[in-house]
Structure formats: structure tokens, C-alpha cells
Amino acid sequence: MLYLAEVQKQRSGFGLGGGKAELKLLACQRGEHNWSAVPGDDAIPVEEANKFNDGTLVLVELSASKQVQRIQEAARQLVSILQNFSRLQDKFKDKEEEIEQWKASLTFSSQELNRREMEMQAREEQLAEMEEELERLEAQRSEIENTRDEANRLRDEVASSRVEMETAWEQLRGEQQQVVQQQSQVPQGAVVDEQQARRIQELMNKLGGAISSAREVREQLNQSFGVVGAQQAILDLHWQQLEQKHSMAGQQQEEVDRQNQSLQNRWQEWYQSQDTLAQARADLKGQQSTLSAKQEQSQSVSLQVRAVEDLYQQLSRLASASGAVGSEQVVDVSALEKMSVEELQGLVQHLQQDLEKVFRFVNDQEEELTLQRETIEELQAKIEAASEYDRMALENEMTDELESYQMLNETLVGQRLRLQEREDVLKQHQAVLWRRLGTANAPKPEGGNIDLGPIVAQLNSGRQQQSQELQRLENEIQQVRESLSQIEANVNRLQGESESKRYELKQLEQNLFNQKGAVAELWGRVNVYQEMLQPVQDNLKGLRQKLEAAAGELDRVQQTGEQQDRVLSDLRQALSGLMDLP
């Protein structure tokens, strides 16, 4: 199981070696991204922890019996864990924003569905009203058809009565002429025989019946006029409703036209904002190019600093070995002189083992630094060949790798110094041991006495200047990143506002489309209503014209009937002296 631990050392005896190293367990890994604190202050003695400094945080893998299986410094892993945690926080934040957007979208969709459902219910009610009006209009049309049939029947009856009256009148005239002829042929004082009197009586009764039937037709015609007037009153009410709907449709059409013009203006404003967004994106791209150039320059200077640092370390070790540079580590030579040769040999052997451990550790860190350098070079090659879409992700990864590289490099600077100090201390111990044993085994200096101090000082000065230059570049990179962050925030804000406005305009466009459909539907109902009313009105108008024509014809028939009635009265008076009526 993997633990995060702190190295704790208790030094005894001399300042170097012989210290007891322990690991204080701080946290335990429960999952890939899950760590829990280890309770208590228990410490585990671990021999491998001697190569780390006191207080160093390490990652140690322990077996079930608390045996060390693997141990390494935790600096880089902690940086990676913190970076992953930061990325996860950003992802969670993005997910929360996306969830909030989805919630708002679902709320809006629910409201839109409720609104459309209410519109559908209103349209269903309107359709039901139209169906009822259609049924009423059908009933009125049926009544008008019946009235028209009745009017046609009355007109036929009037025509038939007129024909009968004319026929009876012709017969009566014929009989009257016969009577006149007979009167002229018979002597004065003669009378009409019984058969002729009965014939004349029948004709007069038939003519009187025709006149009374014309009066009955007049009553039925007046009733038909009443029905037509009632139907016209109902139609006038429908025409009034049609006019109201026509006015309502006109108002809604004006409102739709106004909203359409407003929507077109807002779309024009949105297109103009797209130009601003494009300019902000161009600025962002320019800052990204500047950042990429600064990072490349920083990488080049960093590589130069590392090369100078390596050369400086090598020359420092040569200068230290040749005695050109004195060691700052103070060794109590008198105490070493008082030791026995066996103790001094054991101490030298222990220092050699300790130096080998530190050397292996520093060598591992150097190899890891070399791997990171190769990774940075590979990322740089990928960035140069990557597309614009993938470059940002690769640049972020490059930034993380550079931070990790610089952190490890700074850690190695101290490790190299400590390695050099331990090497110097070992050489001083070895010098005392060789002096006490004799100079036969002492190593001979290589290359004579060369003063490397000025070269080391010059390299140190150049190293400091390059470090300052690197620091200046890092500050500029940080400033560019801050400016880039502000520009990215501005671009994201503009893009968010653009998407929000576009979504709002799409919704308004959809609402306007629905309103246009509703207005078109209302105009359709108005037109259909008018198409339904107009034939009924035309039929009713034609029926009234026919009834008026029939009334005029009936008036003429009645006038003729009144004349006939007066003639009948005269005939009765004239025939009273010619026939012997019972």
C-alpha cells in the first residue's frame, strides 16, 4: 500500500553518518484519487530513508508487514497530484456550469411546452366554436332552403291561382256574352232557364274561391318575409363577428410585422457582435503566439543554464579535488587523530557507503531530469507540428512539464551541493587515514596544480546572469499568461453572451414563427368564415328577391281579384232579374 511520509532523522556522534532515519506516515492512498490521513504519530525505522534529508516528504510503498518495497521523493508526485486536483476542480466547475445550463434549458423547454399546450387547448376551443357556428350556419341554410322551397311553392300557387282566375274569367265572359245574345233574341221579360243559372252560379263561386285563395297566399308570403328577416338578423350578427375577427387579425398582423422588424434588427446587432468576438479571438491568437515564442526562448535559456550548471558543478568538483577551492565543511581533525585506525577505517567506510547512496539517488534524479528534458523536447516538436486546436492542450502540458522540470532542477542543485560536501568530507577523512597509514595508498593529483578558481568564478557569474535572464523571461511569460488569461476570459464572456443571445434570438424566432402561424390560421378562419357566410347571404338575398317578385305578382293578382269581385257583384245584380233563383 502507498503512503505519504515525512523523513525524520535523529543525529548522533559526528555530524555525518550514523543517524537513525524514520518515516512518519501521514496519509494512505485508498484509491486513484482518494487519500485518507493516518491517525497517530507512529514512526517506522527505514534504512533507505538515510539518503533523504530531514523533513523531506517521500512516497513509500509498504507491504502488509510494514516492509519497505519502494521509496522515492514525493515532490514531483505531489505537484502532479495537485495539478490533477486543480484540473478536476476545473472539470467539476465546467460540469456544474453545464448542468446549470441544462437546468435552465429544461426549465425554459417545460415553460414552452406548457405555453404550447395552452395554445393547443385555446385552438381546440376555437375549433369547437367554429364547429358550433358551422352547425348553426348549416341549420340556417337548411331553413333558408326550406323557405326558398316554400316561396317557390307559393309562387307556383299564385301562378296557378292566376291561371284559374283568368280561365274562370274567360268562361264568365263567354257566358256573359251568351246571356247578352240570348237577351237580345228573347222577348222582353223572359228569364234564364235553370240550367244556365246553375252554370253561371258555379262560375261565380269558382271565381270567388280563387280570390279568397289569393288572400291565403298573401298571408303565407308575409310569413315567409318574416322568416327571411329573422335569418337576415342572424346573418347580420355573424357579419358583425366576422368584422371583429377581421379587425383582430389585422392588429395581430401588425404586431407580428413589428416583432419581425425588431428581430431583424437584433440579428443585425448579433452579427456585429460576432465581428467583435472575431477580433478578440485574433488578439487571443496573437497573445498565444507571443507566449509560445517566450516559452521557446525560456526553454532555450533554461537548457543553457542547465549546461552551464553542469559545467560549473564539474569544474567545482575538479577545483575541490585539486584544492583550488576550499571546502566549507569543517572536520574535527584532532578528533580523527585520537581515534584508532580501525575506528577511522570504519568511519571512512561508512562515509563511502553513505556517499554511494547519495550518489545513486542524485544519479537517479539526474536520469529523471534527462527524461523530463527529452519529454519537453518531444512536446516542443509536437507543438510545432500540431494544429491550432491541439496546440493549446499541448502548450498547457508543456507548461506543466516545465514547472516540474524547474522544480526538480532546483531540488537537484541542493542535492549536488550536499553530494559535493559529503565528497569533500570523505576526502578529508581519507587524507587523515592515509597520513596515519602512510602515503603509499594516497591518490596522486592529476594534471598538476591548476588554478581553476577564476574559471569557476567566471562560470558562476555567467550562471547567475543566465539565471537572471531566465527569471526575467519567466516573469514576462507570467505577465503574458495573465494577459492571455484576461483575453481568454473576455473571449469566453463574449462567446457566452453570443451563444446566449443567439439562443434567445432562436427562441424569439421560433415564437415569431408560431405567431405567424397563429395569424395565418386566424386569417384562414376569417376567410373560411366569409366564404361560408357569403353564399348564405347570396341565397337569402336571392330568396328575398324572389319573394318580392312573388309579392308583386300577388299584388297584381289581388288588384285583378278586386276588379273581378266588383264585376261579380254587378253580375249578381244583373242576373237577379234574368233568373228565378230559389
Side-chain angles (χ1 to χ4, degrees), residues 65-93:
S65 59
K66 300 297 183 181
Q67 297 296 322
V68 177
Q69 296 179 345
R70 182 171 59 89
I71 185 171
Q72 60 181 350
E73 191 173 357
R76 184 182 181 190
Q77 284 75 9
L78 285 177
V79 171
S80 178
I81 290 173
L82 292 176
Q83 289 175 349
N84 291 333
F85 179 73
S86 177
R87 290 173 183 150
L88 286 176
Q89 277 190 328
D90 294 338
K91 289 182 180 179
F92 289 152
K93 185 177 179 181

Side-chain angles (χ1 to χ4, degrees), residues 126-127 129-131 133-135 137-138 141 235 238-239 241-242 245-246 249 519-537:
Q126 291 176 354
L127 289 175
E129 292 177 358
M130 288 187 65
E131 290 178 355
E133 291 179 0
L134 182 61
E135 290 177 357
L137 289 175
E138 289 292 337
R141 188 173 67 177
L235 278 178
H238 285 293
W239 281 114
Q241 293 177 356
L242 177 62
K245 291 182 178 181
H246 190 278
V519 171
E521 183 179 356
L522 181 58
W523 278 117
R525 289 201 301 268
V526 169
N527 295 330
V528 170
Y529 201 14
Q530 185 173 3
E531 291 175 358
M532 291 168 56
L533 288 178
Q534 192 62 46
V536 176
Q537 181 66 55

Side-chain angles (χ1 to χ4, degrees), residues 323-528:
V325 179
S327 175
E328 297 179 358
Q329 186 70 30
V330 179
V331 178
D332 190 358
V333 179
S334 61
L336 297 178
E337 293 291 347
K338 294 177 182 180
M339 283 186 183
S340 62
V341 176
E342 290 78 7
E343 290 178 350
L344 185 57
Q345 286 179 343
L347 181 56
V348 169
Q349 185 178 3
H350 180 74
L351 288 175
Q352 287 177 343
Q353 294 176 356
D354 187 57
L355 181 63
E356 290 175 358
K357 292 180 181 179
V358 176
F359 178 77
R360 286 195 300 270
F361 174 73
V362 173
N363 190 34
D364 292 340
Q365 295 294 315
E366 292 284 356
E367 292 179 356
E368 186 174 357
L369 191 65
T370 302
L371 292 175
Q372 285 189 351
R373 190 185 318 120
E374 293 176 355
T375 302
I376 291 173
E377 293 175 355
E378 292 176 357
L379 285 175
Q380 183 62 34
K382 289 181 180 179
I383 289 174
E384 294 176 355
S387 62
E388 186 66 26
Y389 179 78
D390 298 331
R391 181 170 296 179
M392 292 186 64
L394 291 174
E395 287 179 351
N396 292 330
E397 187 176 355
M398 169 72 82
T399 301
D400 296 338
E401 290 294 336
L402 284 175
E403 291 178 356
S404 179
Y405 176 82
Q406 292 174 1
M407 184 179 297
L408 183 59
N409 190 25
E410 291 174 0
T411 304
L412 273 175
V413 172
Q415 296 289 348
R416 294 190 192 105
L417 291 175
R418 284 190 290 273
L419 178 61
Q420 183 179 351
E421 291 174 357
R422 295 193 181 191
E423 190 175 359
D424 294 340
V425 170
L426 176 60
K427 288 179 180 179
Q428 295 180 37
H429 281 71
Q430 286 176 341
V432 174
L433 177 60
W434 290 329
R435 186 174 61 252
R436 293 183 62 181
L437 293 176
T439 58
N441 296 327
K444 295 179 181 181
E446 299 177 359
N449 295 328
I450 300 176
D451 187 7
L452 299 177
I455 300 176
V456 173
Q458 186 177 0
L459 280 176
N460 188 25
S461 176
R463 182 188 65 170
Q464 291 178 356
Q465 291 178 359
Q466 288 183 344
S467 298
Q468 292 174 0
E469 177 68 16
L470 181 61
Q471 184 64 34
R472 183 185 65 80
L473 286 174
E474 289 178 352
N475 293 334
E476 291 180 358
I477 289 174
Q478 183 63 29
Q479 293 176 359
V480 174
R481 283 178 178 170
E482 292 177 356
S483 176
L484 184 62
S485 177
Q486 294 177 359
I487 295 176
E488 284 180 348
N490 186 34
V491 169
N492 293 332
R493 180 182 61 80
L494 291 175
Q495 187 171 359
E497 291 177 356
S498 176
E499 291 296 330
S500 177
K501 288 181 180 179
R502 184 175 180 275
Y503 179 77
E504 181 181 357
L505 290 175
K506 284 293 184 181
Q507 295 299 323
L508 290 175
E509 197 173 38
Q510 182 64 35
N511 294 336
L512 182 61
F513 178 78
N514 295 335
Q515 290 181 5
K516 286 182 178 179
V519 171
E521 183 179 356
L522 181 58
W523 278 117
R525 289 201 301 268
V526 169
N527 295 330
V528 170

